[in-house]
Amino acid sequence: MGLQRAEIAATREALDTLKRLAPNYLVYHHDPRTCDAADLKDAADIAKAMGAEPWLEAVIAEVDGFADEIAALGRAVAAIGSPFQVVQLSSAADLKGTLPGSPWPPAPPADALFKAARTAFPNARIGGGMFSFFTELNRKRPSLADIDLVGFTTSAIVHAGDDRTLMESLEALPFVAASVREIAGNRPVSVGPSAIGMRMNPYGAAPMDNPRNIRQAMNEADPRQRGLLGAAFIVGYFARFARGGASAVAFGGTTGPHGVVAAKQPGPQPFFDESDGVFPAFHVQRALADMSSRPMPTVTSSEPMAVEAVAAIVDDRTNMLLANLTAEEQIVALPAEMVEVAILDADRFVEAAGSPGYLAESRPASGRELRLGAFAVARVVMACCMPDSLP
């Protein structure tokens, strides 16, 4: 998951809850134009408290003096014990999109930038690519000689903000994944931190403000981040990139507009402005963090734009996370007999908001058929291993 400087204080306050997520890694976005060196230690300490591997996503602001800037950042990181296992770098110039045929803005030479990073961070894996979207990565492909992984992010509401467009954006992800695999060659691919809303706008000054809490293209804060649709979207997103060969997938943030724990925000947050709690996305990300550290057989759906699934083998049982990607009830035929189930839907929304362990607390079940309401998510435990498809 991601961490922005603006969320450090609120994240500290929510640490007791966020620890229960146990993410595999935490990506701190550091821009020297808005961040201080002291923030590096704060971010690393938060990652350690959450049981996550610290990653650093560092913007390099200088062009002529980039090598000195990277060296200074390396010294600052070394002074706090070199906690960041992965260091991803991007020139500030590359945070903005450049249209085909337009001149590229001044930026450090990529090979020299990453060679400087090797020297500054000798014990870290070095990442290249784009902090923005696949479009920018495809237009300016990284030199692979001096990097260990290739990264990029996405947003589902660049072109339109309605529910249908958002969910239909999942259809493009397998093709994006295949394209990035070609670009990355034999380097691992990391995706994110990504959310429904935009964390940066490569095509303008900033993402859109959303004081009316509406569905709108290019929002920073999108209301669906707090809802069932957002949780279902995450399942579909993870499933497609996992099948597409991504080595790491990071989502949104901790407490901010792309977060999973309620905290005060500039815009309205219906229900959560009056009641603390966790968003449905919290439960899904907690389940995925646990599943991704275990053997994960590939599972596919016969109707992938209606129901999506992710599976893992836990103690000789199959755990499956299922999501209804539609506003209509879906009846799911399971590949094996259920023994436990937990469902997060509209009827259970309030209960789940007040219980960070909700989706992990399943009840006994039987049968091979499951009904999922609009944008509902379920965690199903089956007693045996399973075939690789849903009827």
Side-chain angles (χ1 to χ4, degrees), residues 170-171 173-174 177 236-244 304-305 308 325:
L170 294 174
E171 293 186 88
L173 299 187
Y237 189 98
F238 183 93
R240 283 159 171 78
F241 274 120
R243 289 196 293 265
M305 288 310 298
E308 189 55 276
L325 305 181

Side-chain angles (χ1 to χ4, degrees), residues 5-81:
R5 185 203 194 198
E7 299 305 321
I8 286 176
T11 298
R12 279 204 200 96
E13 292 182 8
L15 264 179
D16 285 345
T17 299
L18 287 164
K19 287 176 184 176
R20 303 183 68 167
L21 273 176
N24 296 358
Y25 64 106
L26 182 74
V27 184
Y28 168 58
H29 181 81
H30 184 80
D31 188 329
R33 299 169 298 180
T34 56
C35 300
D36 298 324
D39 301 328
L40 296 164
K41 185 177 187 306
D42 290 338
D45 288 346
I46 286 170
K48 182 179 179 181
M50 293 175 64
E53 183 175 271
W55 288 25
L56 176 62
E57 188 182 67
V59 175
I60 305 305
E62 297 291 332
V63 177
D64 295 332
F66 73 91
D68 290 339
E69 181 181 349
I70 293 172
L73 181 61
R75 290 192 295 271
V77 168
I80 60 172

Side-chain angles (χ1 to χ4, degrees), residues 233-293:
F233 179 84
I234 286 173
V235 177
Y237 189 98
F238 183 93
R240 283 159 171 78
F241 274 120
R243 289 196 293 265
S247 298
V249 179
F251 292 102
T254 51
T255 59
H258 308 142
V260 293
V261 177
K264 183 64 178 175
Q265 296 294 318
Q269 301 177 102
F271 177 79
F272 290 104
D273 280 334
E274 292 76 37
S275 176
D276 293 335
V278 300
F279 307 152
F282 178 98
H283 301 290
V284 168
Q285 288 182 221
R286 183 184 182 193
L288 289 173
D290 179 64
M291 295 170 79
S292 63
S293 63

Side-chain angles (χ1 to χ4, degrees), residues 192 202 227 379:
R379 187 180 68 85

Side-chain angles (χ1 to χ4, degrees), residues 60-125:
I60 305 305
E62 297 291 332
V63 177
D64 295 332
F66 73 91
D68 290 339
E69 181 181 349
I70 293 172
L73 181 61
R75 290 192 295 271
V77 168
I80 60 172
S82 299
F84 298 104
Q85 303 300 300
V86 171
V87 177
Q88 299 170 284
L89 297 99
S90 172
S91 166
D94 288 336
L95 300 183
K96 296 300 180 183
T98 299
L99 293 175
S102 300
W104 290 98
D111 56 347
L113 185 147
F114 291 115
K115 281 183 170 65
R118 287 280 184 210
T119 301
F121 306 99
N123 299 317
R125 289 190 293 149

